[in-house]
């Protein structure tokens, strides 16, 4: 086989040699295609596997950890929660609408493949600077795509994040997360149960879209690639997915299916190989039976990433019944093969075996690399000059920076209330939905602090996990588990590889301390275009619960006259990276001081106090403190005609970042109780002011209330248009 | 006499379960869920055509659903002077069937709109009896094509016959626009001349439980039952 062809398939010559030595014969084109799909970074985690293995993935509530379509945790009774986050970065840059829409479609399939009904989605999206017309185009397309797919299928979007930063200019990030509810005794796995089971194809017909999508997603981009790569972006049809979801959930509820696997990245190849590998069995599939949209070669069928397709195993006796139900939902259905006992993956076409490979070599012998990595350099301490920074200026800079502004322009394009169970809509500390027919609620949030992680990957990752944790705690949601989406530039650069290794280590440390295991995830590498690597962006999706809907905290002010308290430890001005960045004090990454070590024990202690005080009903409202400091936290809590009056020895401190930081609102009469409760628990607090009517006052200086509120709510739309 | 009702499900409906819960919780009577391919409707007091993207909004929102098998019986039900409520996509279907006048075109900002909106009643009918004059209701909307349009003559007759049931308005402390989607005269919902058919874009079935930000959606069912 010629070398160019091998390289075009994303395999190295060394990798090809391993295959050839093992098989002791030449490969067919179809087989080369299979290795190209299965041995790329996206499918086999060849760079990250060594490090991912170190993550905590189990505890008493984990029902299913990484390795299945989604992770599942136990939330008592017969209720389980399935969730996962996944990236669709490259497709969303090439074709923002379809790229992001199919990202949502793919993650929803991961959820309902396991028998779970999706109950919420979240999204974490990052773009370059808005001054570029390209960014506006990408932002519009991505938000439209995410909205279109989720709105149409009817799953509420309950939160996420949207950040603008220069390194994402030619490599935007689109990470979509989905959460589903499953009855614990009705979970479906991808592992087939019996030899002789029928392999059935369910869903849309196969077309040419997305051929080699998975290997594209593992490539470094150059700018002029865009047009060439467009045909490998999948096109989604949320209507078909809605039918597929209802059809599959009906089949599962009737027990007509043995196992199921969605045809996502690398299509029928990856889904059938995974089935065989998990069940320790073989598969025999006749490609001539696959429903097609247009004439395709065997090679194309194997690698197509057409959307809205499922592969399932059923018992032959259920064949007619399955067919009948899927007919009602107008879904294509075909028996295309069977489960065999020879542990080989065999595909036939035109009465010829085009692929005949042992499962072992595809999966178990997939390469695993221990790539070289560098530790970050030590940072020298530096003092920044704040003497020229005026309070008014800081507020104005904040209110003209997209990263701080209210993002209703984004989430008003999403349906957040469909299904009728939404408790907290986007724009609050975390999104919350009720488990239908119960009083239980699930909270979810996504976060990442790329600047922190670039400064110090290990500590920065701890801060990222802690921020998600605080988002849930502020709502009185008990954090339970994590899904992660590790977005990095090229791991062939040892500096980038170092960020990957150390941030996974930070994730491990924080997840262990918080007892929030990692149950699912995704890795997206080579996020760089024209030699500009993105900032390290390992996004965390955290899920938690509360058994009683009535115990949830408000994130908005409740009453005029109530006291405002702060918990946590403030980072000094010189040590607050986002303050330094956003006030244009630090321009180069080398200028920042090192991050203050995050004390996870303290973080946990304060969080426990917030949960306890919420249950005791001391807390009237609560919000976490992150980028933008106490001031932005207060602005987010502003509601109706309420404003705030606060005092700080140095008002610039109101904009500093925190560890274990929360703003809480309490009633005057509870002040003594709260004070003694906190001192008993060894947690300090600062009483900084109170809620007042239609005013914002800092150290007795009055600001224009309506100006600030209106700018906060409306400037996002003004700036992007 | 217990109140009986039904919700029709089309392929792509996604508020059918919400509408079923809304009816079950508020009417306490029998609620049927009817698949669009069924030939007949049971005899009920109220039928809801729910929100969603029936048939994927292909062709035009509501156009394909308006040709479904069950629609003949839905028309018969309405001709018997019984209540028919179309919410969001259901409203679009009613205009496609021709049971309601006008059409719903794309929102004026050409974007999907998912947020809380404020409406008040315009002319009295059986669907809004329990709502006071000038009472502002907070109810979520979620639509791409909710911009009500009709010609001048139709508008005149909608007014003369007092067919405008709801109009968008400004809410207290809200800095959002009064007419959120560009509808003619801020129309949020209309009835037929006989006022037993209502189509509305806001979703009352998402504003009735204790944990919803508003319970104003209850008032519509309360109006029909009392």
């Amino acid at each position: 086989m010629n070398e160019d062809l091998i390289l075009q398939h994303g395999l190295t010559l060394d990798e090809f040699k391993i295959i050839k030595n093992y098989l002791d014969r030449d490969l067919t084109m179809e087989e080369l295609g299979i290795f190209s799909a299965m041995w790329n970074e996206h499918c086999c985690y060849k760079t990250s596997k060594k490090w991912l293995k170190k993550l905590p993935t189990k505890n008493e509530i984990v029902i299913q950890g990484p390795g299945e379509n989604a992770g599942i945790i136990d939330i008592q009774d017969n209720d389980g929660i399935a969730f996962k986050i996944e990236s669709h970065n490259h497709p969303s840059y090439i074709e923002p609408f379809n790229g992001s829409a199919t990202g949502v479609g793919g993650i929803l399939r991961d959820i309902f493949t396991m028998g779970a009904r999706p109950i919420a989605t979240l999204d974490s999206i990052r773009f370059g600077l808005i001054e570029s017309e390209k960014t506006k185009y990408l932002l519009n397309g991505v938000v439209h795509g995410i909205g279109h797919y989720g709105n149409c299928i009817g799953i509420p979007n309950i939160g996420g994040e949207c950040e603008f930063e220069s390194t994402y200019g030619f490599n935007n990030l689109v990470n979509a997360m989905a959460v589903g509810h499953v009855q614990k005794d009705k979970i479906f796995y991808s592992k087939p149960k019996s030899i002789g089971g029928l392999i059935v194809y369910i869903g849309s017909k196969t077309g040419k879209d997305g051929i080699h999508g998975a290997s594209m997603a593992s490539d470094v981009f150059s700018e002029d690639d865009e047009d060439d790569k467009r045909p490998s972006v999948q096109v989604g049809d949320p209507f078909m997915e809605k039918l597929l979801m209802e059809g599959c959930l009906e089949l599962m509820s009737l027990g007509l299916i043995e196992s199921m696997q969605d045809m996502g990245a690398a299509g029928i190849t990856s889904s059938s190989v995974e089935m065989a590998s998990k069940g320790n069995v073989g598969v025999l599939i006749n490609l001539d039976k696959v429903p097609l949209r247009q004439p395709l070669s065997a090679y194309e069928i194997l690698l197509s990433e057409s959307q809205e397709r499922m592969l399932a195993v059923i018992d032959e006796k259920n064949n007619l019944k399955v067919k009948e139900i899927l007919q009602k939902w107008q879904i294509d259905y075909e028996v295309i093969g069977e489960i065999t006992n020879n542990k080989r993956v065999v595909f036939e076409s035109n009465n010829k075996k085009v692929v005949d490979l042992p499962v072992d070599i595809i999966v178990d012998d997939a390469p695993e690399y221990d790539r070289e990595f560098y530790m970050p350099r030590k940072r020298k301490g530096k003092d920044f000059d704040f003497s020229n920074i005026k309070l008014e200026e800081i507020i104005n800079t904040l209110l003209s920076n997209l990263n701080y502004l209210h993002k209703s322009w984004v989430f008003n394009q999403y349906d957040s209330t469909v299904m009728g169970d939404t408790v907290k809509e986007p724009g609050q500390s975390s999104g919350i939905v009720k488990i239908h027919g119960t009083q239980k609620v699930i909270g979810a949030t996504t976060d990442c602090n790329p600047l922190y992680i670039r400064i110090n990957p290990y500590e920065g990752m701890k801060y990222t996990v802690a921020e998600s944790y605080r988002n849930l705690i502020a709502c009185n949601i008990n954090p339970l588990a994590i899904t992660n989406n590790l977005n990095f530039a090229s791991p062939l650069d040892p500096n980038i590889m170092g960020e990957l290794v150390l941030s996974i280590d930070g994730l491990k440390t924080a997840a262990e301390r918080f007892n929030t295991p990692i149950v699912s995830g995704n890795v997206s590498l080579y996020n760089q275009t024209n030699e500009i690597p993105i900032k390290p962006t390992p996004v965390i999706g955290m899920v938690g619960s509360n058994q009683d809907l009535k115990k949830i905290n408000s994130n908005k002010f409740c009453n005029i006259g109530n006291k405002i308290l702060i918990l946590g430890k403030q980072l000094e001005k010189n040590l607050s990276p986002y303050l330094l960045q956003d006030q244009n004090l630090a321009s180069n990454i080398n200028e920042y001081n090192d991050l203050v070590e995050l004390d996870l024990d303290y973080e946990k202690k304060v969080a426990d106090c917030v949960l306890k005080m919420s249950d005791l009903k001391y807390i009237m409202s609560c919000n976490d403190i992150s980028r933008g400091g106490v001031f932005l936290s207060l602005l987010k809590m502003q509601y109706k005609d309420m404003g705030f009056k606060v005092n700080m020895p140095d008002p610039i401190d109101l904009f500093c970042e925190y560890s274990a930081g929360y703003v809480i609102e309490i009633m005057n009469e509870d002040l003594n109780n709260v004070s003694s409760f906190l001192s008993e628990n060894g947690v300090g607090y600062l009483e900084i002011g109170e809620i007042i009517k239609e005013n914002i006052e800092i150290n007795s200086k009055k600001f224009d209330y309506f100006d600030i509120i209106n700018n906060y709510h409306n400037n996002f739309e003004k700036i992007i248009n | 006499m217990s109140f009986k009702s039904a919700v029709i499900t089309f392929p792509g409906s996604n508020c059918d379960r919400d509408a079923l819960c809304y009816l079950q919780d508020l009417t306490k009577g029998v609620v049927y869920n009817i698949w669009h391919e069924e030939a007949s409707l049971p005899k009920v007091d109220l039928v809801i055509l729910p929100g969603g993207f029936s048939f994927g909004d292909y062709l035009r929102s509501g156009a394909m659903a308006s040709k479904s098998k069950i629609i003949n019986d839905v028309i018969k039900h309405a001709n018997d002077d019984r209540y028919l409520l179309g919410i969001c996509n259901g409203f679009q279907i009613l205009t496609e069937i021709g049971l309601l006048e006008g059409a719903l075109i794309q929102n004026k900002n050409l974007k999907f709109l998912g947020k809380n909106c404020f409406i008040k009643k315009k002319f009295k009918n059986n669907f809004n009896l329990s709502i006071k004059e000038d009472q502002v209701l907070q109810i979520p909307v979620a639509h791409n094509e909710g911009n009500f349009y009709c010609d001048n003559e139709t508008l005149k007759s909608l007014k003369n016959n007092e067919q405008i049931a709801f109009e968008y308005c400004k809410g207290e402390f809200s800095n959002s626009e009064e007419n959120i989607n560009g509808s003619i005269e801020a129309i949020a919902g209309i009835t037929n001349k006989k006022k037993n058919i209502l189509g509305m874009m806001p979703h009352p079935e998402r504003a009735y439980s204790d944990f919803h930000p508003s319970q104003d959606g209850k008032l519509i069912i309360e109006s029909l039952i009392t």
Side-chain angles (χ1 to χ4, degrees), chain A residues 378-427:
Chain A
K378 284 262 176 282
R379 290 176 174 274
K380 292 192 212 96
K382 178 176 174 185
D383 267 335
F384 291 90
D385 178 14
F386 281 86
S387 60
N388 293 323
I389 304 261
K390 303 240 166 13
L391 197 51
E392 291 82 352
E393 268 174 48
I394 298 198
I395 296 178
N396 284 338
T397 346
L398 228 78
L399 295 176
S400 53
N401 182 334
L402 288 179
N403 294 320
Y404 293 98
L405 296 167
H406 197 248
K407 312 269 187 316
S408 52
W409 180 89
V410 175
F411 56 74
N412 282 352
Q413 295 184 54
Y414 305 151
D415 191 342
S416 302
T417 51
V418 63
M419 294 183 92
D421 285 321
T422 304
V423 179
K424 264 189 209 294
E425 295 172 41

Side-chain angles (χ1 to χ4, degrees), chain A residues 117 140 144 148 150-155 236-240 242-243 246 328-330 409 411-423 425 434 436 549-550 640-641 694 709-710 713-714 717, chain B residues 9-18 21 35-37 52-58 106 109-116 138 140-144 172-173 175 203 205-206 208-213:
Chain A
R117 178 171 283 277
N140 271 288
H144 186 199
H148 175 72
N151 298 342
C152 196
I153 188 164
I155 313 296
D237 178 354
F239 173 56
M240 178 49 73
K242 168 76 175 165
L243 300 180
E246 297 299 342
K328 173 182 129 186
W329 291 103
Q330 301 169 347
W409 180 89
F411 56 74
N412 282 352
Q413 295 184 54
Y414 305 151
D415 191 342
S416 302
T417 51
V418 63
M419 294 183 92
D421 285 321
T422 304
V423 179
E425 295 172 41
K434 192 166 83 75
H436 195 66
L549 159 73
K550 293 197 178 68
K640 290 189 171 167
D641 59 345
E694 286 179 359
I709 303 298
N710 287 333
H713 285 275
N714 303 332
E717 188 166 353
Chain B
T9 298
F10 303 95
S13 294
N14 61 29
C15 304
D16 45 339
R17 188 190 78 177
D18 310 357
C21 295
W35 180 241
H36 72 114
E37 279 181 317
F53 292 66
S54 55
F55 296 92
D57 272 359
Y58 286 121
Q106 217 184 354
N109 73 351
L110 306 181
K111 287 187 173 20
F112 186 92
L113 192 63
K115 62 192 277 192
N116 270 301
Q138 181 188 321
V141 287
H143 58 244
N144 199 47
E172 201 187 3
F173 308 120
N175 57 3
H203 287 271
E205 81 282 15
R206 300 185 194 178
Y208 78 95
S209 276
D210 293 343
F211 67 88
H212 291 146

Side-chain angles (χ1 to χ4, degrees), chain A residues 30-50:
Chain A
E30 289 81 3
E31 288 170 339
L32 181 64
I34 286 191
F35 281 103
S36 158
M38 296 304 296
W39 279 22
N40 67 51
E41 203 71 63
H42 188 90
C43 288
C44 82
Y45 301 100
K46 57 189 171 190
T47 294
S48 51
K49 206 193 275 171
K50 172 181 160 122

Side-chain angles (χ1 to χ4, degrees), chain A residues 127 130 135-144 162 164 409 720:
Chain A
F127 303 93
I130 199 66
T135 299
K136 291 179 186 173
Y137 159 78
L138 291 170
L139 172 70
N140 271 288
V142 165
V143 172
H144 186 199
C162 173
F164 298 84
W409 180 89
I720 62 160

